[in-house]
Amino acid sequence: MLFVGGAWVEPDEGYYEVVDPATEGIVGRAPEASRDQVRAACAAAREAFGPWSRTPPEERAAILGRAADIMRARLLPYAELAQAETGATTGTARGMQVGVGVARFRRYARVEPAEWPIAPQVNEAAGGASHALRAMGAGGAGVMGAVAVRQPVGVVTCVTSYNNPWANPAGKVAPALAMGNAVVVKPAPQDPLSVYRMAEALEAAGVPRGVVNVVSGRAVGIGETAVSSPDVDMVSFTGSTAVGQRIAEVCGRDMRRQLMELGGKGAAVVLDDADLASAVAGIGTTFSFYSGQICTAPTRVLAQRGVYDRLVEQLAAYARRLKVGDPREPDTVVGPVISSAHRDRVESYVELGRKEGAVIVTGGERPSLERGFYVAPTLLADCTNDMRVAREEIFGPVVTVVPFDEEEEGIALANDSDYGLIDYVWSRDVAKAFRVARRLRAGGVGINTVGRNMEAPFGGFKKSGVGRDVGSYALHAYSEVQAIVWPG
C-alpha cells in the first residue's frame, strides 16, 4: 500500500509485479498510485511541514536515531528484500545497501551543533550609510548586527534511483528530515518495496503524520505530478541526465530548488608510474559493484602508453576471474543487471563498440545461465574518445580503454566529456596525481582509490548534476540561508 499522510492506503491504480532480476521470479506487488493520490501526498507533506519545522532539532534527531535502530534490527530481512529487488550480491545488499542506509540515518541523528548555524557576521555601516539610517529614523548606531541562519526549504520531493533502494533514499530523506523538511518519496519502479520498509521504520520510530510520504508507480505521470505539485518547494533527484533535464525544466518554471545527481562517465587516468595492481583492483569494481550500474564507476580508462598494454592485459585477466551468477551464492562477484530491457541496452552498446572499431578483449557474450538478466564483464580496448561507448553512460559491467601519450593529452581527454561526476588518477607520485586532479573538471577525484569519504561533498560538474550533498553538505542542500539584520 501507499504511505500518505501517515496512513497506509490502497492504490487507485492497483498493483504491479516487482521482478527478481536474478531469477525472473516475482518478488512482490507494488502499489500504483494515481495522480490524485500523489497530489494528496504532497498536500499532506505541506500540512505537516509547519509543525515539523518547529519541532526542536533534538527531537527530530531522536526520531532518526530510533529509525536507524529499527532498520539495524531488521537488517537481514531488509537486505534479503533489497537483494531480491536489485540482484545485488549478499555482501552488497547487507553492507552497501541497508548498512549504508542505516549509517546515513545515524549520521543525521547526531548532527554537531556547529553544523546547524552559520557563523555570525557583524558589518559596520560606514559613513554615509550610518547617516542615512539616522535620517530615516532607523537607529543612530554606526554598527549593524547581522546573523545568517538556516531555514528548512519546505516540502521536498525525493525521486530515487533503482541501483540502491536504501542508501540513495536514506541520503535524501535523513538530512531533509533533520533540517525540518517534510518529504514525498517517489522510488524507482523497479525496486520500490524496500523504500516502503524504510517508511515503516520511520513510522514505528514516531515520525509525525504527513512528514514522510511514499508513492510509487510505473506511469510517468506519477513522477511528473510529484515534481510539479504546487505544494512542493524542492526536488532531489538521482537518475539519468535526460530525465534530470526534464525535471529541471519543470522546476525552473516555478523557481523550485533542485538537487540533481545525474549521469557519469568517470575517467580513470592511469599514468606511466601507476601501481597497476591498485589501478586494476579499482577499475575492476566497475565489473562487480552493482554490476556496473553506478554513476561513480571508473568506466572510461585513459591509459598512458607506457602501461597501456600491461593494463589491458591485467584488466582482462581480472574480469575473466570474476564469477557471474546467482547473487545469493557466497562466491558470486557479478550479479544481474536490473531488467531484461536494460540487459538489451548494455549488450547493444557492446555491439556498437565493436562496430566503432573497439576490440572486445573479454566478455561481449551473454553468460550461459538459464534465468536472470546477466551481462558478462566486458573490456573494450583500442577505443578513441569520440566513440559513443567512450562518451555515453552504459550503466553496466563494461569498461573502455583509451591510450594517450603525454600527461597534458590525458587531462584533455578526461575533460572532453559531457559528464563530470567523479574521475580518478593513478600515479605513485602523489604530488603529480594531485596536480592532475586539480585540473580535472569533475565534482570529485579519487587518487589511487575508488573509495569515498562520506563527509566529503558529492555532486557533479557539467551534465552530471547540480548541487552537493553528503555529510554537512546535505544539511546545506536541504536548507535555505536567511539573513537577519538589526541596528546596533
Side-chain angles (χ1 to χ4, degrees), residues 104 134 191 205 220 256 295 386 427 454 463 475:
R104 287 181 167 173
R134 284 196 293 270
D191 51 9
V220 173
R256 192 166 290 141
C295 52
D386 59 353
S427 171
M454 298 312 293
K463 292 184 179 180
L475 297 172

Side-chain angles (χ1 to χ4, degrees), residues 58-81:
E58 296 78 10
E59 291 184 24
R60 299 199 297 260
I63 291 173
L64 298 182
R66 290 196 295 271
D69 291 341
I70 293 167
M71 295 171 196
R72 181 65 183 84
R74 301 173 183 173
L75 187 147
L76 292 182
Y78 283 170
E80 289 175 0
L81 176 60

